[in-house]
Protein backbone atom coordinates (compact mmCIF):
# COMPACT_ATOMS: atom_id res chain seq x y z
CA UNK A 1 0.00 0.00 0.00
CA UNK A 2 2.95 2.33 0.60
CA UNK A 3 3.76 2.31 -3.16
CA UNK A 4 0.30 3.68 -4.11
CA UNK A 5 1.32 7.27 -3.11
CA UNK A 6 3.93 7.26 -5.89
CA UNK A 7 1.26 6.60 -8.59
CA UNK A 8 0.79 9.99 -10.21
CA UNK A 9 -1.54 10.64 -13.19
CA UNK A 10 1.07 9.87 -15.89
CA UNK A 11 2.29 6.77 -14.05
CA UNK A 12 -1.24 5.40 -13.66
CA UNK A 13 -2.02 6.14 -17.35
CA UNK A 14 1.11 4.34 -18.53
CA UNK A 15 0.34 1.40 -16.19
CA UNK A 16 -3.22 0.97 -17.50
CA UNK A 17 -2.09 1.49 -21.11
CA UNK A 18 0.58 -1.17 -20.69
CA UNK A 19 -2.02 -3.61 -19.34
CA UNK A 20 -4.29 -2.90 -22.30
CA UNK A 21 -1.48 -3.39 -24.84
CA UNK A 22 -0.51 -6.63 -23.14
CA UNK A 23 -4.13 -7.78 -23.05
CA UNK A 24 -4.86 -7.01 -26.70
CA UNK A 25 -1.57 -8.54 -27.74
CA UNK A 26 -2.38 -11.69 -25.78
CA UNK A 27 -5.79 -12.24 -27.44
CA UNK A 28 -4.40 -13.01 -30.97
CA UNK A 29 -1.91 -15.40 -29.42
CA UNK A 30 -4.63 -17.31 -27.57
CA UNK A 31 -7.20 -17.36 -30.35
CA UNK A 32 -6.58 -19.96 -33.08
CA UNK A 33 -9.09 -18.56 -35.54
CA UNK A 34 -9.00 -15.16 -37.16
CA UNK A 35 -8.79 -12.21 -34.67
CA UNK A 36 -11.63 -9.66 -34.98
CA UNK A 37 -10.75 -6.26 -36.46
CA UNK A 38 -11.85 -4.38 -33.35
CA UNK A 39 -9.19 -6.13 -31.25
CA UNK A 40 -6.46 -4.74 -33.48
CA UNK A 41 -7.96 -1.26 -33.27
CA UNK A 42 -8.17 -1.39 -29.54
CA UNK A 43 -4.52 -2.56 -29.40
CA UNK A 44 -3.55 0.40 -31.59
CA UNK A 45 -5.48 2.80 -29.34
CA UNK A 46 -3.75 1.33 -26.29
CA UNK A 47 -0.34 1.89 -27.91
CA UNK A 48 -1.27 5.53 -28.68
CA UNK A 49 -2.35 5.90 -25.05
CA UNK A 50 1.05 4.59 -23.93
CA UNK A 51 2.78 7.19 -26.14
CA UNK A 52 0.55 10.00 -24.80
CA UNK A 53 1.13 8.87 -21.23
CA UNK A 54 4.90 8.84 -21.85
CA UNK A 55 4.85 12.42 -23.18
CA UNK A 56 2.59 13.48 -20.32
CA UNK A 57 4.95 11.91 -17.82
CA UNK A 58 7.94 13.66 -19.37
CA UNK A 59 6.14 17.03 -19.22
CA UNK A 60 5.15 16.54 -15.57
CA UNK A 61 8.69 15.41 -14.68
CA UNK A 62 10.13 18.54 -16.34
CA UNK A 63 7.65 20.73 -14.46
CA UNK A 64 8.61 19.03 -11.19
CA UNK A 65 12.30 19.56 -11.98
CA UNK A 66 11.71 23.25 -12.72
CA UNK A 67 9.69 23.56 -9.51
CA UNK A 68 12.47 21.90 -7.50
CA UNK A 69 15.04 24.18 -9.16
CA UNK A 70 12.94 27.25 -8.35
CA UNK A 71 12.57 26.15 -4.71
CA UNK A 72 16.31 25.42 -4.49
CA UNK A 73 17.10 28.89 -5.86
CA UNK A 74 14.64 30.38 -3.39
CA UNK A 75 16.37 28.57 -0.54
CA UNK A 76 19.76 29.85 -1.80
CA UNK A 77 18.36 33.41 -2.02
CA UNK A 78 17.00 33.15 1.53
CA UNK A 79 20.36 31.84 2.76
CA UNK A 80 22.12 34.79 1.11
CA UNK A 81 19.59 37.16 2.65
CA UNK A 82 20.23 35.59 6.05
CA UNK A 83 23.96 36.21 5.62
CA UNK A 84 23.32 39.86 4.79
CA UNK A 85 20.92 40.22 7.70
CA UNK A 86 23.45 38.51 9.97
CA UNK A 87 26.11 41.03 8.96
CA UNK A 88 23.67 43.89 9.60
CA UNK A 89 22.78 42.45 13.00
CA UNK A 90 26.49 42.11 13.85
CA UNK A 91 27.07 45.73 12.82
CA UNK A 92 24.13 46.94 14.88
CA UNK A 93 25.37 44.86 17.81
CA UNK A 94 28.82 46.44 17.48
CA UNK A 95 27.27 49.89 17.47
CA UNK A 96 25.20 49.06 20.54
CA UNK A 97 28.32 47.74 22.29
CA UNK A 98 30.17 50.92 21.39
CA UNK A 99 27.34 53.06 22.71
CA UNK A 100 27.08 51.05 25.92
CA UNK A 101 30.76 50.58 26.71
CA UNK A 102 32.60 53.15 24.57
CA UNK A 103 33.99 50.85 21.87
CA UNK A 104 37.39 52.03 20.62
CA UNK A 105 36.79 55.60 21.76
CA UNK A 106 39.12 57.02 24.37
CA UNK A 107 40.23 60.35 25.75
CA UNK A 108 43.47 62.20 26.40
CA UNK A 109 44.72 65.37 28.05
CA UNK A 110 46.12 68.38 26.27
CA UNK A 111 48.16 70.26 28.86
CA UNK A 112 49.58 73.75 28.48
CA UNK A 113 51.13 76.37 30.76
CA UNK A 114 50.31 80.07 30.78
CA UNK A 115 52.76 82.86 31.54
CA UNK A 116 51.32 83.14 35.05
CA UNK A 117 52.30 79.51 35.85
CA UNK A 118 48.73 78.26 35.55
CA UNK A 119 48.67 74.66 34.26
CA UNK A 120 45.51 73.94 32.25
CA UNK A 121 44.30 70.38 31.66
CA UNK A 122 42.00 70.05 28.63
CA UNK A 123 40.17 66.73 28.07
CA UNK A 124 39.94 65.56 24.47
CA UNK A 125 37.68 62.81 23.03
CA UNK A 126 39.49 60.59 20.49
CA UNK A 127 38.91 57.74 18.05
CA UNK A 128 41.74 56.54 15.77
CA UNK A 129 39.67 54.06 13.76
CA UNK A 130 39.28 54.21 9.97
CA UNK A 131 35.75 55.09 8.78
CA UNK A 132 36.18 53.23 5.45
CA UNK A 133 36.67 49.98 7.37
CA UNK A 134 33.41 50.49 9.23
CA UNK A 135 34.94 50.49 12.70
CA UNK A 136 34.83 54.21 13.51
CA UNK A 137 31.83 54.58 15.81
CA UNK A 138 31.99 57.77 17.83
CA UNK A 139 30.43 57.12 21.22
CA UNK A 140 30.78 58.55 24.72
CA UNK A 141 33.61 57.25 26.88
CA UNK A 142 31.86 56.27 30.11
CA UNK A 143 32.97 56.22 33.74
CA UNK A 144 36.39 57.68 33.05
CA UNK A 145 38.80 57.90 35.96
CA UNK A 146 42.40 59.12 35.81
CA UNK A 147 45.41 58.53 38.03
CA UNK A 148 48.03 61.25 37.50
CA UNK A 149 51.63 60.51 38.48
CA UNK A 150 53.96 63.47 38.95
CA UNK A 151 57.13 61.81 37.63
CA UNK A 152 59.34 64.83 38.42
CA UNK A 153 58.32 64.74 42.06
CA UNK A 154 58.90 60.99 42.21
CA UNK A 155 62.32 61.41 40.59
CA UNK A 156 63.21 64.16 43.04
CA UNK A 157 62.39 61.88 45.96
CA UNK A 158 64.30 59.02 44.35
CA UNK A 159 67.36 61.24 43.79
CA UNK A 160 67.24 62.43 47.39
CA UNK A 161 67.13 58.81 48.55
CA UNK A 162 70.03 57.97 46.21
CA UNK A 163 72.14 60.80 47.65
CA UNK A 164 71.50 59.56 51.17
CA UNK A 165 72.40 55.98 50.14
CA UNK A 166 75.64 57.08 48.47
CA UNK A 167 76.78 58.81 51.64
CA UNK A 168 77.01 55.43 53.37
CA UNK A 169 78.43 53.39 50.46
CA UNK A 170 81.81 53.24 48.75
CA UNK A 171 82.37 54.75 45.31
CA UNK A 172 80.04 53.20 42.68
CA UNK A 173 80.60 52.85 38.94
CA UNK A 174 78.07 54.27 36.43
CA UNK A 175 76.26 50.93 35.94
CA UNK A 176 75.82 50.49 39.71
CA UNK A 177 74.49 54.06 39.99
CA UNK A 178 72.00 53.38 37.18
CA UNK A 179 70.77 50.21 38.90
CA UNK A 180 70.49 52.10 42.18
CA UNK A 181 68.51 54.89 40.52
CA UNK A 182 66.11 52.40 38.92
CA UNK A 183 65.66 50.59 42.23
CA UNK A 184 64.89 53.82 44.09
CA UNK A 185 62.49 54.99 41.39
CA UNK A 186 60.67 51.65 41.58
CA UNK A 187 60.42 52.07 45.36
CA UNK A 188 58.92 55.52 44.83
CA UNK A 189 56.34 54.04 42.41
CA UNK A 190 55.43 51.27 44.83
CA UNK A 191 55.21 53.63 47.80
CA UNK A 192 54.48 56.99 46.18
CA UNK A 193 54.49 60.33 47.93
CA UNK A 194 50.80 61.28 48.36
CA UNK A 195 51.65 64.65 46.85
CA UNK A 196 52.98 62.91 43.70
CA UNK A 197 49.81 61.00 42.82
CA UNK A 198 46.27 62.24 42.26
CA UNK A 199 43.02 60.47 41.44
CA UNK A 200 40.50 62.31 39.27
CA UNK A 201 36.93 61.20 38.59
CA UNK A 202 36.31 62.57 35.09
CA UNK A 203 32.97 60.86 34.34
CA UNK A 204 31.60 60.86 30.78
CA UNK A 205 33.61 62.27 27.87
CA UNK A 206 31.30 63.04 24.95
CA UNK A 207 32.18 62.66 21.24
CA UNK A 208 33.98 65.71 19.84
CA UNK A 209 34.47 67.04 23.35
CA UNK A 210 37.39 69.40 23.91
CA UNK A 211 36.89 71.19 27.19
CA UNK A 212 38.90 72.49 30.13
CA UNK A 213 38.90 69.94 32.91
CA UNK A 214 41.16 71.51 35.53
CA UNK A 215 43.46 74.46 36.22
CA UNK A 216 46.17 74.57 38.86
CA UNK A 217 48.96 76.91 39.85
CA UNK A 218 52.44 75.40 39.51
CA UNK A 219 55.55 76.48 41.39
CA UNK A 220 58.38 77.99 39.36
CA UNK A 221 60.05 75.25 37.29
CA UNK A 222 61.43 74.52 33.83
CA UNK A 223 60.06 71.00 33.36
CA UNK A 224 56.95 68.99 34.13
CA UNK A 225 56.50 65.29 33.48
CA UNK A 226 53.26 63.38 34.09
CA UNK A 227 52.12 59.81 33.55
CA UNK A 228 48.33 59.43 33.37
CA UNK A 229 46.54 56.10 33.75
CA UNK A 230 43.00 56.17 32.37
CA UNK A 231 40.37 53.66 33.50
CA UNK A 232 36.96 53.57 31.77
CA UNK A 233 34.15 51.14 31.10
CA UNK A 234 35.75 50.08 27.79
CA UNK A 235 39.27 49.45 29.10
CA UNK A 236 42.52 51.04 30.23
CA UNK A 237 45.16 53.17 28.54
CA UNK A 238 47.90 55.61 29.47
CA UNK A 239 49.33 58.95 28.39
CA UNK A 240 52.77 60.37 29.07
CA UNK A 241 53.01 64.18 29.07
CA UNK A 242 56.21 66.24 29.17
CA UNK A 243 56.36 70.03 29.30
CA UNK A 244 59.63 71.94 28.94
CA UNK A 245 60.42 75.63 28.95
CA UNK A 246 62.60 76.40 25.94
CA UNK A 247 63.86 79.98 25.50
CA UNK A 248 61.16 81.20 27.85
CA UNK A 249 58.35 79.36 26.01
CA UNK A 250 56.57 76.23 27.22
CA UNK A 251 56.54 73.35 24.75
CA UNK A 252 54.87 69.96 25.20
CA UNK A 253 55.16 66.37 23.99
CA UNK A 254 52.86 63.46 24.73
CA UNK A 255 52.38 59.83 23.78
CA UNK A 256 49.40 57.46 24.04
CA UNK A 257 49.67 53.73 24.72
CA UNK A 258 47.22 50.93 25.61
CA UNK A 259 47.70 49.21 28.94
CA UNK A 260 47.74 45.50 29.66
CA UNK A 261 44.36 43.81 29.74
CA UNK A 262 41.31 45.08 27.89
CA UNK A 263 41.96 48.38 26.11
CA UNK A 264 40.53 50.44 23.23
CA UNK A 265 42.39 49.99 19.95
CA UNK A 266 44.64 53.07 20.10
CA UNK A 267 46.30 53.30 16.69
CA UNK A 268 47.82 56.75 17.05
CA UNK A 269 50.69 55.87 19.43
CA UNK A 270 53.31 58.13 17.83
CA UNK A 271 54.94 60.94 19.80
CA UNK A 272 53.18 64.25 19.24
CA UNK A 273 55.11 67.38 20.13
CA UNK A 274 55.29 71.10 19.59
CA UNK A 275 57.72 72.40 17.03
CA UNK A 276 61.11 72.99 18.64
CA UNK A 277 60.66 70.51 21.49
CA UNK A 278 64.10 69.11 22.44
CA UNK A 279 63.95 65.49 21.29
CA UNK A 280 67.14 64.60 23.17
CA UNK A 281 65.15 64.96 26.37
CA UNK A 282 62.48 62.42 25.48
CA UNK A 283 62.23 59.18 27.49
CA UNK A 284 64.01 56.09 26.22
CA UNK A 285 61.91 54.09 23.75
CA UNK A 286 59.93 57.07 22.44
Amino acid sequence: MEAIKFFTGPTLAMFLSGLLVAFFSLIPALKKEHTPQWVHWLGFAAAILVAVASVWGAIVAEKDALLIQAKTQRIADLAETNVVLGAQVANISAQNTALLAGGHNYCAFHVYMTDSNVLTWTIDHRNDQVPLQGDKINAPVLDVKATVWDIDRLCDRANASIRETLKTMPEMNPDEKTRLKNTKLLEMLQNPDPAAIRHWDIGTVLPYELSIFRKEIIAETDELWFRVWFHARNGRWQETIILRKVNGKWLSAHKMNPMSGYSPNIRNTQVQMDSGFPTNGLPQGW
Side-chain angles (χ1 to χ4, degrees):
M1 298 297 292
E2 182 69 18
I4 294 179
K5 64 180 181 181
F6 296 106
F7 274 75
T8 61
T11 303
L12 185 59
M14 290 184 66
F15 177 71
L16 293 177
S17 301
L19 290 179
L20 289 175
V21 170
F23 175 74
F24 290 113
S25 298
L26 182 62
I27 290 176
L30 294 178
K31 292 180 69 67
K32 295 180 180 180
E33 64 275 6
H34 179 70
T35 304
Q37 189 71 22
W38 61 269
V39 172
H40 294 288
W41 281 109
L42 288 178
F44 174 76
I48 295 298
L49 184 59
V50 169
V52 172
S54 299
V55 173
W56 184 18
I59 294 174
V60 172
E62 183 64 21
K63 288 183 178 180
D64 290 341
L66 291 175
L67 181 61
I68 292 173
Q69 182 179 359
K71 289 183 177 180
T72 302
Q73 184 62 43
R74 178 60 177 165
I75 292 172
D77 293 341
L78 289 175
E80 184 178 354
T81 302
N82 287 337
V83 171
V84 174
L85 291 176
Q88 293 177 350
V89 170
N91 186 45
I92 293 173
S93 177
Q95 294 184 25
N96 290 337
T97 300
L99 291 173
L100 292 174
H104 292 304
N105 297 271
Y106 65 102
C107 58
F109 281 120
H110 175 70
V111 181
Y112 60 94
M113 180 82 80
T114 65
D115 294 336
S116 56
N117 277 17
V118 175
L119 187 64
T120 302
W121 296 75
T122 300
I123 195 73
D124 181 16
H125 181 283
R126 297 190 178 189
N127 188 327
D128 301 336
Q129 309 308 298
V130 182
L132 295 179
Q133 295 181 359
D135 55 3
K136 186 177 179 67
I137 304 173
N138 287 317
V141 188
L142 306 176
D143 299 336
V144 181
K145 294 179 175 59
T147 300
V148 182
W149 301 78
D150 190 333
I151 303 299
D152 283 325
R153 190 183 295 270
L154 291 174
C155 288
D156 288 342
R157 286 200 59 195
N159 291 333
S161 178
I162 290 171
R163 288 192 293 270
E164 291 298 321
T165 301
L166 290 176
K167 290 178 182 179
T168 61
M169 295 183 66
E171 186 66 23
M172 303 177 67
N173 60 48
D175 290 339
E176 291 174 335
K177 288 182 179 180
T178 300
R179 285 195 295 269
L180 178 61
K181 181 178 180 180
N182 292 336
T183 300
K184 293 298 182 181
L185 184 57
L186 180 60
E187 291 177 357
M188 295 302 107
L189 291 173
Q190 293 174 340
N191 300 287
D193 180 356
I197 182 171
R198 292 166 289 175
H199 302 282
W200 294 345
D201 191 351
I202 298 174
T204 299
V205 179
L206 299 173
Y208 311 107
E209 180 169 337
L210 180 60
S211 59
I212 295 175
F213 174 72
R214 183 180 296 266
K215 291 184 177 183
E216 52 187 326
I217 299 176
I218 300 297
E220 191 66 33
T221 183
D222 291 331
E223 181 181 73
L224 293 169
W225 184 3
F226 301 103
R227 178 72 55 82
V228 185
W229 290 354
F230 288 98
H231 300 258
R233 192 179 296 182
N234 62 326
R236 307 189 304 167
W237 63 96
Q238 66 178 352
E239 178 182 20
T240 304
I241 306 169
I242 303 176
L243 293 96
R244 290 232 172 93
K245 184 182 285 188
V246 180
N247 298 326
K249 181 181 178 181
W250 281 97
L251 303 176
S252 65
H254 78 99
K255 190 175 189 300
M256 305 300 304
N257 286 104
M259 295 177 67
S260 60
Y262 182 67
S263 174
N265 185 8
I266 299 175
R267 298 180 178 179
N268 189 8
T269 59
Q270 302 299 318
V271 180
Q272 300 180 33
M273 66 183 76
D274 294 330
S275 177
F277 189 94
T279 56
N280 59 346
L282 294 175
Q284 185 176 5
W286 271 34

